[in-house]
Amino acid sequence: NSIGSLVATMNTTGMLENSVIIVNSDNGGDPCGEHLVGDNHPLRGSKMTYFQGGLKVPGFIYSPNKAYIPHQARGTTYDGLMHHVDWVRTIYEGVVGRSLDDDGYDTSTLDSLNHWQAITADPDDPQFADSDVRDNIIFALTNHYMTVIKRVGGSDIKVMKNMFNSSWF
């Protein structure tokens, strides 16, 4: 309802045509107690865990403007390995079309990659078939525990060490 109200207002004010709306969950659902009835089935785990139920989240991108999302990309899915920090470059460089480096930002410690070209590519274009922007995500890495996802040949491999267990809820 909130997103629908926002879109209606943007449409009424003429802002929608020149906008890109990105909706992305922050974590998996939290199936804890009576009032937090999140359900990540069939994925294992929940919010605050490193299992897929806590990491793999839904999202969508919408714009009525074909300059932002070309016809061939509309209604498609993007299965690239993406970390939430990647939205920084994806929005700034991909959507806005400006370079963080050229605009004076110190990006030497920024672990963000631009996925916009891969997200909006024609899925039938062989140039973009299996084009992974990111091939790994490090969620936790210390001397005592770790969770790392690595994409190898189109499949994801996850290594977890000394992470607490999470039931299926």
Side-chain angles (χ1 to χ4, degrees):
N1 288 341
S2 297
I3 293 169
S5 178
L6 173 68
V7 170
T9 300
M10 291 175 72
N11 194 35
T12 301
T13 61
M15 294 174 60
L16 185 61
E17 180 59 33
N18 201 22
S19 297
V20 174
I21 297 171
I22 300 170
V23 177
N24 189 75
S25 180
D26 68 336
N27 280 304
D30 192 0
C32 178
E34 216 173 282
H35 301 288
L36 299 172
V37 291
D39 183 0
N40 302 310
H41 181 78
L43 303 176
R44 179 182 183 192
S46 64
K47 187 179 208 82
M48 309 290 207
T49 72
Y50 291 104
F51 293 100
Q52 292 302 86
L55 300 177
K56 190 171 185 174
V57 296
F60 67 87
I61 300 171
Y62 169 77
S63 177
N65 190 330
K66 289 178 179 53
Y68 288 118
I69 303 175
H71 177 73
Q72 71 272 7
R74 293 175 179 270
T76 64
T77 59
Y78 177 63
D79 66 351
L81 189 59
M82 188 171 185
H83 195 280
H84 68 271
V85 300
D86 292 337
W87 283 117
V88 173
R89 282 197 192 265
T90 299
I91 293 169
Y92 200 84
E93 295 176 356
V95 178
V96 177
R98 299 190 52 107
S99 168
L100 287 166
D101 295 312
D102 292 345
D103 282 352
Y105 291 97
D106 178 12
T107 59
S108 61
T109 60
L110 182 63
D111 183 23
S112 181
L113 300 174
N114 180 358
H115 291 254
W116 193 250
Q117 186 174 9
I119 290 170
T120 60
D122 183 344
D124 296 326
D125 187 338
Q127 176 184 353
F128 294 105
D130 300 323
S131 64
D132 289 329
V133 174
R134 178 179 286 282
D135 66 0
N136 67 67
I137 297 177
I138 300 171
F139 289 101
L141 185 60
T142 73
N143 292 334
H144 305 291
Y145 64 90
M146 72 170 190
T147 299
V148 177
I149 296 177
K150 174 82 174 158
R151 180 156 287 179
V152 179
S155 297
D156 296 340
I157 298 170
K158 185 189 297 183
V159 177
M160 298 174 74
K161 178 182 175 189
N162 293 334
M163 299 304 295
F164 68 90
N165 193 3
S166 176
S167 71
W168 282 90
F169 293 106

